[in-house]
Amino acid sequence: MHTVVVGTSGVTASDVLAVARGGARVDLSAEAVAALAASREIVDALAAKPEPVYGVSTGFGALATRHISPELRTQLQRNIVRSHAAGMGPRVEREVVRALMFLRLKTVCSGHTGVRPEVARTMADVLNAGITPVVHEYGSLGCSGDLAPLSHCALALMGEGEAEGPDGVVRPAGELLAEHGIRPVVLREKEGLALLNGTDGMLGMLVMALADLDILYKSADVTAALSLEALLGTDRVLAPELHAIRPHPGQAASAANMLAVLKGSGLTGHHQDDAPRVQDAYSVRCAPQVAGAGRDTLAHARLVAEREIASAVDNPVVLPDGRVESNGNFHGAPVAYVLDFLAIAVADLASIAERRTDRLLDKNRSHGLPPFLADDAGVDSGLMIAQYTQAALVSELKRLAVPASADSIPSSAMQEDHVSMGWSAARKLRTAVDNLTRVVAVELYTATRAVELREGLTPAPATRAVVEALRAAGAAGPGPDRHLAPDLAAADAFVRDGRLVAAVETVTGPLN
C-alpha cells in the first residue's frame, strides 16, 4: 500500500487525496519527529514559568483571562476537547474526516504547535487503522478553525466518543483503539487546543472538490461538443486564433477540448435550407467562454489551496526563536472565498448545460430533431422530464451559489466577533459538485440520443466512442419510452467515475 510521509514542510494535494480517498498509510519523517520534540521543549519551559501564556497556562477564547494552575492543566486540555465536541446533525462523509485528520497531522508535524511526538504518532496510527471518528454536519463557524469537527476527532484520540471501524460499523472509539493496540492519548499543555485550531475540514473538502471538478470540466467540454454536433452547429467558433485574441487560458483549453472531440464530424456546419443560421445560440457558441471562466476560477482556487496546505495553522504558534505567539491565522476567509467562488462557477456551468439540453428537446430550435427526442411524439414523451429533473438541479445550484462567506455571526461572548463560515461554504460546494455531475449526465444522455437520431450523417470518432461506451454502461439509445431513472443513473455513474473522459481520450489523447 502507498505510504505518505509527513515532514515539516507540509504535504501535497495528491497526498491528501491518497489518504482521504485511497486509504494510503501515513508515516512521520525523522525530521518531523525532531521538530515536534524541539517545539515541545519550548512549551514545557513556558509551562514551568509563573507568567500566564495563552493556550499553555490560560483558559480559551473569552475565558483566556484565567490563569490555570499546573495540577489542572491536563483537565483543561481534556475539557476543551469534550466541550467543543458539540456537533449535531448527520454524519460527515468518511473521506472528509480522513482529510481533516490528515491535514491536522500535517500542521502538527510542522513543529509550530508544541504537540509531543507521541500524540502525532497516535494520529497516524488511527488513520492507518482505518478508524474514522464520527463528525457531524453542524458545529463549525470556520474561525478558530473547524472547532467542533476537529474536536470530535481529538475526542477519539482520547478514547472517547464514537468512531467508525474499518468494517464500517460505528462503535465506541475506546473499543476500536484497544482492538488495534492504540493507547489513548492523555493531553498535556496546549495539546488539546492544537488539535482543534485549524482550517483542515474546509481545506480537505476544497482539495477534493478541485479533483472532482477537474474531471467535471473536461466532461462538460465533451457534452457541450456533443450538443453542438447534435444541433448541426459550427465548430468554426472553436478555432484557436479566435481564442488567442482573448487570452484567457481556461477559455482556450475548453475550446481546444471541444475541437478535439469534434474532429472528423460529419454533422457540424449543416444549416438547413428552410431555416438558415448565421450563428449558433449563445449556449452553444459561448460554451468555451463560460467553461473557460470556470477553469480559471479553478486555477485560482488551486493556488489558494496550495498556499493553505503549505501553512501551519494554529493559535498560539511556536516560532523558531522560542516565542509562543497568538495570531489570527486560523481565520478561514481565504479558503471560504474560493469555496463560494467555485459554487458560483459550478452553478453557471450547469445553467448553460441545461439550456443546451432544452434546445435539443424543442422541435422549434433543434433543427429537425423530433419533439423531446421521442420515438412517437404524443404517444411517447421522450426525454421531456429528464429536462425537468435537470432544471430542478440547476435551480438548486443557483441557491447553493449564494455565498456563505458573506455571512458572519458573533460567538464566544463577542471574543470571536467575525467568522468565515468556511465549513458551510465547503459543505454546500460538495452538494453543488454532486448536482453538477447529474446535470452533465443529463446533457450527455440527451446529446448522444440526438446524435443517433441524425440519420445519414456521421458523427465524430470521439462521439462514436462515447456513444458505444455509454450504451455498454447501461444507458439505452433511442426508442419507445422506458423507465428513465435507471438510464440517467447509469449516465451519472459514467460521468462521475471518469469513464466519459476516458472514452473520449481513447480517440483524442489527453484532454486539457
Side-chain angles (χ1 to χ4, degrees):
M1 182 181 291
H2 176 57
T3 298
V4 173
V5 179
V6 184
T8 59
S9 57
V11 296
T12 66
S14 296
D15 292 333
V16 177
L17 294 170
V19 174
R21 290 179 164 172
R25 291 185 58 80
V26 179
D27 199 3
L28 312 183
S29 72
E31 176 193 30
V33 173
L36 285 159
S39 68
R40 185 64 208 180
E41 288 181 6
I42 294 171
V43 170
D44 286 342
L46 290 171
K49 293 183 177 181
E51 297 85 7
V53 177
Y54 177 70
V56 176
S57 52
T58 71
F60 310 111
L63 303 176
T65 55
R66 178 176 172 183
H67 181 254
I68 307 298
S69 59
E71 65 273 12
L72 293 176
R73 290 177 191 169
T74 294
Q75 181 180 341
L76 170 70
Q77 300 299 321
R78 182 173 63 244
N79 285 352
I80 189 176
V81 173
R82 287 174 171 172
S83 65
H84 285 43
M88 296 182 72
R91 284 179 57 197
V92 170
E93 302 87 354
R94 182 177 185 269
E95 67 178 15
V96 172
V97 179
R98 286 184 62 82
L100 74 89
M101 290 176 68
F102 175 66
L103 286 166
R104 183 79 318 228
L105 175 60
K106 175 269 302 181
T107 283
V108 165
C109 288
S110 70
H112 290 294
T113 67
V115 169
R116 289 169 294 152
E118 50 264 47
V119 175
R121 288 196 187 96
T122 302
M123 296 171 75
D125 289 344
V126 169
L127 283 166
N128 292 338
I131 297 171
T132 308
V134 170
V135 173
H136 299 279
E137 181 83 14
Y138 303 105
S140 174
L141 299 179
C143 202
S144 291
D146 291 318
L147 285 173
L150 284 164
S151 296
H152 282 277
C153 293
L155 196 68
L157 294 177
M158 293 164 45
E160 301 181 20
E162 290 187 320
E164 178 186 303
D167 59 359
V169 177
V170 174
R171 297 165 53 197
E175 290 182 12
L176 287 167
L177 295 185
E179 283 185 7
H180 289 84
I182 301 172
R183 181 178 297 178
V185 298
V186 178
L187 299 174
R188 290 171 49 182
E189 291 93 342
K190 195 184 179 301
E191 290 180 333
L193 187 60
L195 294 178
L196 316 185
N197 229 324
T199 56
D200 309 294
M202 65 182 90
L203 176 58
M205 286 185 273
L206 173 60
V207 169
M208 289 185 283
L210 288 169
D212 294 339
L213 288 170
D214 182 61
I215 295 173
L216 273 175
Y217 268 81
K218 293 175 184 176
S219 301
D221 290 340
V222 173
T223 58
L226 297 183
S227 291
L228 182 153
E229 191 175 26
L231 289 166
L232 308 179
T234 178
D235 60 1
R236 292 176 64 180
V237 297
L238 305 174
E241 58 269 25
L242 294 176
H243 299 279
I245 62 175
R246 194 190 192 196
H248 294 286
Q251 176 179 323
S254 286
N257 283 346
M258 291 180 66
L259 204 56
V261 173
L262 293 170
K263 184 177 181 180
S265 175
L267 279 75
T268 56
H270 286 272
H271 293 163
Q272 290 177 298
D273 293 336
D274 60 347
R277 278 176 286 162
V278 177
Q279 300 178 123
D280 291 314
Y282 283 10
S283 61
V284 177
R285 186 171 15 128
C286 301
Q289 285 77 9
V290 172
R295 283 171 167 271
D296 291 341
T297 302
L298 284 176
H300 171 61
R302 193 171 290 113
L303 176 62
V304 172
E306 289 169 355
R307 289 171 177 167
E308 194 72 2
I309 290 172
S311 302
V313 178
D314 193 16
N315 180 48
V317 292
V318 181
L319 297 173
D321 61 7
R323 287 180 295 144
V324 175
E325 295 283 4
S326 291
N327 66 91
N329 284 344
F330 49 73
H331 199 290
V335 182
Y337 291 169
V338 294
L339 287 162
D340 281 331
F341 198 178
L342 288 174
I344 293 170
V346 163
D348 200 36
L349 186 63
S351 179
I352 197 170
E354 183 276 330
R355 288 293 80 205
R356 291 189 294 264
T357 300
D358 181 65
R359 184 167 289 272
L360 287 164
L361 298 180
D362 183 353
K363 70 180 182 66
N364 296 311
R365 295 179 292 139
S366 66
H367 309 289
L369 291 169
F372 304 106
L373 308 184
D375 187 61
D376 184 4
V379 174
D380 293 311
S381 294
L383 305 189
M384 179 191 295
I385 307 305
Q387 185 267 334
Y388 283 36
T389 299
Q390 193 185 40
L393 289 163
V394 170
S395 183
E396 174 71 8
L397 282 165
K398 292 174 183 177
R399 291 189 290 272
L400 292 168
V402 176
S405 58
D407 187 27
S408 176
I409 189 163
S411 56
S412 193
M414 293 298 286
Q415 178 72 6
E416 299 170 10
D417 59 351
H418 184 276
V419 297
S420 78
M421 304 307 296
W423 174 273
S424 299
R427 296 305 295 166
K428 69 184 182 67
L429 179 61
R430 282 182 71 83
T431 302
V433 170
D434 271 350
N435 285 350
L436 174 62
T437 307
R438 298 179 180 107
V439 169
V440 171
V442 174
E443 183 181 16
L444 170 67
Y445 188 67
T446 305
T448 52
R449 177 179 286 204
V451 165
E452 288 179 287
L453 290 171
R454 293 293 189 188
E455 296 180 358
L457 297 173
T458 304
T463 301
R464 293 199 297 273
V466 169
V467 171
E468 290 170 6
L470 181 62
R471 299 298 171 246
D481 281 356
R482 53 183 275 144
H483 183 195
L484 204 52
D487 280 7
L488 296 179
D492 176 37
F494 188 72
V495 173
R496 191 175 297 272
D497 62 18
R499 279 178 288 163
L500 169 58
V501 173
V504 168
E505 290 183 336
T506 60
V507 177
T508 63
L511 296 177
N512 297 305

